[in-house]
Amino acid sequence: MRAFAALAAWGLLVSASPPIPVDDALITGDALPASLGEFHLLAGPYGQKPNAGVTPYRLNTPLFSDYAEKFRYYYVPPGKKIGWRDDGVLDFPVGSVLIKSFGYPPDMRVPAKGLRIVETRLLVRRASGWIALPYVWNADGSDAVLRRAGMRIDVNWTHLDGKPRAISYAIPNVNQCKGCHDDGAGGISPIGPKARNLNRDGQLEAALRAGRLDRLPAEIPRLPVWDEPGSASVALRARAYLEVNCAHCHNPKGPANTSGLWLNWEQGPGPNLGIYKRPTAAGRGSGNDEFAIDPGHPERSIMLYRMQSLDPGIAMPELGRASVHQEGVALLSQWIAAMPMQPANQP
């Protein structure tokens, strides 16, 4: 609800489009533009106005990023369409751009007031593959500057509980981008815009009507909204959370495949999902606990232990957070607490 309020306020600012069209030649060329403004994808202070052809979208369950408010857009060049895929990320054609801006309001309880955009990340689809370009906004919001080496920015806000929060917000370097966006073949790929995660608010149907999507099947899969109890059971919402926050590494083909812990949406119950699974090489990351998921015992589950740690040698996910996602921990704790214990493990 909080994110929706921020998005609605954001949407009030997008009614007009700047006259300069998106620079398709720059998108498909070899240059790495020093400023975000050169693409003409966004306009206005802090890029609050998407240009013509740049479409806002939302995900059912987004990646946790230190409580940042995030605003997503995609661009598909004229005359081209996104290819439907039943599974995995939709097939964006060469010349496409995925855009994500990160920001913080002074007070999370009033998310639309005084929002400060910190950075905007681009994933650009060129003929050679996807490239990641992180841009950091100037203090006056006039443009954002390419920071391929990444950087840290001090961020402060009043949290939902009314208490002050302060973090050293990390803007990843391009190599760190690969840590989450590894395509398994030496390149990178998007991880968020899967059909099931985009299936909300008629977004896919609108893309089809606009000629930006090539087709829609009769049955469209849908990922639950992790923090909306009415969208699915606790178990399914917990699985949606793991799919988005962990499965880009923890899947049978991902960078963490050798761990044997596979948290992708398709994974069935059992040891590979973490249930009564002993760690392969967690070291001190195990917290002296025995199983990744110990049914009935979230307090004894390695997964929860690592989610609640900020120690770089223990914390999971390894990148993209400097704070504990308390609401995510609460959801997974509820899920694990309700799991039936095997007879051999019952007291």
Side-chain angles (χ1 to χ4, degrees):
M1 192 67 187
R2 183 170 57 88
F4 178 79
L7 186 63
W10 190 272
L12 294 175
L13 302 170
V14 305
S15 58
S17 298
I20 302 175
V22 173
D23 192 332
D24 291 295
L26 195 60
I27 292 171
T28 55
D30 296 327
L32 302 177
S35 73
L36 178 64
E38 295 176 56
F39 287 104
H40 300 295
L41 292 161
L42 305 172
Y46 296 103
Q48 296 176 1
K49 298 179 181 179
N51 203 347
V54 178
T55 304
Y57 70 93
R58 298 178 66 199
L59 299 174
N60 286 321
T61 293
L63 179 75
F64 173 71
S65 302
D66 276 330
Y67 292 99
E69 298 286 358
K70 293 188 278 190
F71 303 89
R72 299 173 178 82
Y73 310 88
Y74 69 85
Y75 173 75
V76 177
K80 295 189 178 181
K81 296 185 178 183
I82 303 167
W84 173 267
R85 283 175 175 162
D86 291 331
D87 193 19
V89 176
L90 296 179
D91 185 15
F92 287 83
V94 171
S96 298
V97 185
L98 296 174
I99 307 155
K100 186 160 60 176
S101 294
F102 298 69
Y104 288 84
D107 190 334
M108 288 282 182
R109 296 167 298 181
V110 194
K113 186 176 181 180
L115 185 71
R116 173 198 173 197
I117 298 298
V118 176
E119 60 158 331
T120 295
R121 301 178 191 173
L122 303 185
L123 281 179
V124 179
R125 179 75 190 276
R126 289 178 166 167
S128 57
W130 290 93
I131 63 168
L133 300 174
Y135 289 90
V136 179
W137 282 94
N138 298 334
D140 63 3
S142 59
D143 204 348
V145 178
L146 182 62
R147 294 281 189 179
R148 299 190 73 214
M151 65 183 295
R152 285 188 173 272
I153 297 175
D154 291 334
V155 175
N156 304 277
W157 74 91
T158 299
H159 200 55
L160 298 169
D161 57 7
K163 297 180 179 178
R165 291 281 186 100
I167 62 169
S168 176
Y169 178 85
I171 296 169
N173 62 47
V174 293
N175 291 326
Q176 290 172 323
C177 292
K178 191 175 180 180
C180 293
H181 290 272
D182 190 339
D183 67 358
I188 65 172
S189 67
I191 57 177
K194 299 177 180 179
R196 58 175 172 255
N197 210 5
L198 287 165
N199 184 13
R200 63 174 298 154
D201 307 326
Q203 295 180 133
L204 293 170
E205 292 83 353
L208 183 68
R209 290 194 299 272
R212 296 192 176 99
L213 182 63
D214 66 348
R215 67 184 178 88
L216 272 180
E219 297 291 332
I220 307 173
R222 186 172 190 271
L223 197 70
V225 181
W226 76 277
D227 60 347
E228 286 186 11
S231 72
S233 65
V234 168
L236 289 176
R237 289 188 290 118
R239 291 297 309 274
Y241 186 90
L242 293 175
E243 153 79 1
V244 170
N245 286 277
C246 310
H248 44 271
C249 288
H250 284 280
N251 70 76
K253 297 180 180 178
N257 66 329
T258 57
S259 70
L261 181 63
W262 302 333
L263 304 175
N264 47 303
W265 181 249
E266 302 84 355
Q267 181 62 44
N272 287 126
L273 186 60
I275 299 173
Y276 290 123
K277 180 189 181 305
R278 291 183 169 84
T280 54
R284 66 189 182 95
S286 70
N288 295 319
D289 289 318
E290 191 173 4
F291 304 116
I293 292 177
D294 193 340
H297 294 285
E299 80 285 358
R300 297 193 325 210
S301 296
I302 297 172
M303 179 182 288
L304 270 297
Y305 171 70
R306 303 192 74 167
M307 286 178 65
Q308 294 177 86
S309 175
L310 295 179
D311 184 325
I314 297 174
M316 282 286 173
E318 293 177 321
L319 299 172
R321 72 174 177 93
S323 54
V324 175
H325 190 196
Q326 296 167 338
E327 294 80 6
V329 169
L331 174 65
L332 293 184
S333 295
Q334 189 179 359
W335 174 49
I336 293 172
M339 286 183 178
M341 291 182 282
Q342 289 183 356
N345 297 88
Q346 291 180 355

